[in-house]
Amino acid sequence: MANQAGTYSEWLKQDMGALIDSVGLTDLQKHLLRSRWLDQVLYMESRSNSARDWYYRLRMTTIIGGVIIPALVSLNLTGDYALAVRGATFVISLLVGISAAVEEFFHYGERWRHYRQTSELMKMEGWNFFQLSGAYERFGSCSEAYREFASRSEMLIQHDVDVYISQVAQEKKEGKEKAEADKPG
C-alpha cells in the first residue's frame, strides 16, 4: 500500500503498472491497458476523492452551523456582545444556506458514491484479469484474455458515461419543470 512518501494514487499507478509489465502482453496491449483502463481507474479514484472531500466539507459546514445558530439565537445578550452575536449568527446562517445549496446543486455525495463504485468495479475487473479468475478463468494467459478484458472494461466505462448523461439529462429536465412551475401564471 501507499506509504508516507507517496499517495495512494501514485502507489496504485506504480503497482498496476508493474502488474501490466509482468503479464505476457504485447507492447501495444500494455500501452492500451495503461492509456485506457489504468487511466480510467486513476481518474475515477481522483474524482471520487475530490467529490468526497467537497461532500464532507459542505455537510460538516451545514451540520455544525445548523447546531451553532440556535445556540447563538437563544443567547439573551445586550450591548456590544449582542451586536457581535447577531452578526455572527447572520454570517453562519449564510454559510449554512450556501453550503446546503451548493451540495444540492452539485450532488457531491451522489458523485462520490458513483465514482467510488465505478472505480472499484474497474479495479475488480483488473484483478480478475491479472489473476485469470472470474470471467477470465477459462483463459490460459492474460494475452488470451485481453480482448475479453478490453471489452468488459469498455462496457463498464460506457455504463459510467450512460449513468452520468442520464443524471445530467434528468437534472436539466427537473430544472426546466421547476422553472415552468415557478412562472407566474
Side-chain angles (χ1 to χ4, degrees):
M1 264 267 161
N3 60 29
Q4 294 173 350
T7 66
Y8 175 71
S9 182
E10 292 167 347
W11 173 83
L12 188 64
K13 183 176 183 176
Q14 224 175 11
D15 194 51
M16 293 298 178
L19 280 171
I20 291 169
D21 287 337
S22 71
V23 295
L25 298 174
T26 67
D27 288 341
L28 177 61
Q29 289 170 328
K30 289 177 185 179
H31 178 77
L32 292 171
L33 232 85
R34 279 191 181 85
S35 294
R36 187 63 171 160
W37 175 78
L38 184 55
D39 179 66
Q40 285 296 302
V41 168
L42 296 172
Y43 172 77
M44 295 293 171
E45 280 286 321
S46 170
R47 295 303 302 239
S48 169
N49 291 339
S50 176
R52 179 203 59 217
D53 293 348
W54 274 107
Y55 178 70
Y56 282 165
R57 282 185 207 115
L58 293 169
R59 289 297 296 155
M60 291 304 290
T61 300
T62 303
I63 291 166
I64 293 169
V67 170
I68 292 173
I69 291 170
L72 291 176
V73 169
S74 71
L75 296 175
N76 291 322
L77 301 174
T78 58
D80 293 338
Y81 291 120
L83 185 60
V85 168
R86 278 198 305 267
T89 303
F90 178 74
V91 169
I92 293 170
S93 297
L94 283 176
L95 285 173
V96 167
I98 290 168
S99 177
V102 168
E103 163 52 27
E104 176 61 31
F105 183 77
F106 287 109
H107 303 283
Y108 285 114
E110 292 171 29
R111 288 178 185 214
W112 168 34
R113 289 181 288 278
H114 170 76
Y115 286 125
R116 171 60 48 221
Q117 179 182 27
T118 304
S119 171
E120 292 304 319
L121 289 172
M122 293 287 288
K123 286 189 275 187
M124 286 172 25
E125 198 67 38
W127 286 120
N128 282 332
F129 171 70
F130 292 125
Q131 298 176 89
L132 295 174
S133 61
Y136 308 102
E137 63 189 350
R138 70 180 190 268
F139 296 101
S141 69
C142 288
S143 182
E144 292 173 24
Y146 178 79
R147 281 182 180 236
E148 178 77 13
F149 173 73
S151 176
R152 290 175 62 93
S153 294
E154 288 301 319
M155 285 176 30
L156 286 171
I157 294 167
Q158 182 62 47
H159 176 71
D160 174 67
V161 170
D162 291 345
V163 167
Y164 180 79
I165 296 297
S166 69
Q167 285 177 346
V168 168
Q170 183 64 30
E171 287 172 10
K172 249 186 167 176
K173 180 181 174 190
E174 289 171 1
K176 283 183 181 179
E177 289 171 354
K178 184 174 177 355
E180 289 297 318
D182 290 344
K183 281 186 180 177

